[in-house]
Amino acid sequence: MVHILNEKTGKKILSISLNLLLPIIVFRSFATVSISQEDSLLPLTGLTINLFLLAVAYLASKSLNMVSASRGAFLLGCSTLNIGIVGLPFIELFFGAKGVAIASLLDIGNSLYVFSIAFLVASRFNPSKKAKPFKSNVKGFLTQPYLISIIMGLIANPLGIELPETVEVFVEVISLINIVVMLIAVGTFVRLPKKSLMYEIVLSAIVKIPIGGLIGLAFANLLSLTPQAAKVVMIVASLPPAFMTLIHANTENLDIELATILLGSMLAMGIPIITLCGLLFSSG
């Protein structure tokens, strides 16, 4: 039997998302988002949550006997947050427009991490680049299409540019297409979890869900957020990994199989937990 969609096809599909679809979506997000003075710390909070998760994952990974490519995939899976695709639909369902606004501001910091620092993390653990200087990795990062779109969006934001309705509709269509593209790409890499990887899966789940939630709660208390905002931050901090982990893993020759297994496992565990937390928090 001939498989039309294999890993080689999946890598090509991911390349379409990385170099064409994502830059369009990212530019619109950064060019149009508005930040009030009282919410100005939320983007920084989102980024800091990522960094704390990265630090916890790095310490946890020391207990695992991993090669460089697998360790990089583990760190990406534990430290990124899937706010846009997974988080926002559930947050809108349980917390309404205000919850979406809070999560979107957190996603600014998360996006900066996912599209920048996470790339450097992936590059650091690329097994074929051990002898490559850090300067070259930074140069590669600075030429990424999605980073250029972030910079252009941030430049356009203060100008108060209002995109025409037709452009907004176009970007929404692109967003939907990108979701389908990413899901198809994920499907080409899907593997049933091996027994030998169960420890990695359990450890990543512990880092992502209970520890992530506690990190979110700590920052909510530190910022003296309202109870509703605190609940949103807790849920956001424990979301499954971003799909960009697969793109980074593919681009930097990390363990794509482990990255996919961790993503799939966290989605399978995380979505029911998010739903349960949403029901409990919204009724409280």
Side-chain angles (χ1 to χ4, degrees), residues 174-194:
I174 291 295
S175 298
L176 293 175
I177 293 174
N178 188 58
I179 292 173
V180 174
V181 166
M182 293 297 293
L183 290 175
I184 293 174
V186 169
T188 65
F189 295 105
V190 166
R191 301 287 185 276
L192 291 175
K194 299 177 181 178

Side-chain angles (χ1 to χ4, degrees), residues 51-66 71 74-75 78 125 199 203 207 211:
L51 295 175
F52 268 76
L53 287 171
L54 177 64
V56 173
Y58 181 80
L59 294 175
S61 68
K62 289 187 174 182
S63 66
L64 303 171
N65 185 22
M66 284 181 163
R71 192 176 192 186
F74 180 83
L75 295 180
C78 290
F125 288 93
Y199 184 64
L203 189 58
V207 172
I211 295 180

Side-chain angles (χ1 to χ4, degrees), residues 191-214:
R191 301 287 185 276
L192 291 175
K194 299 177 181 178
K195 290 184 178 180
S196 59
L197 293 176
M198 289 308 297
Y199 184 64
E200 286 86 344
I201 294 171
V202 172
L203 189 58
S204 66
I206 293 172
V207 172
K208 288 292 293 181
I209 300 172
I211 295 180
L214 289 174

Side-chain angles (χ1 to χ4, degrees), residues 21 23 62 97 109 113 116 122 180 212 223 239 266:
L21 302 178
K62 289 187 174 182
Y113 176 84
S116 57
V180 174
L223 297 175
L239 285 172
M266 290 304 100

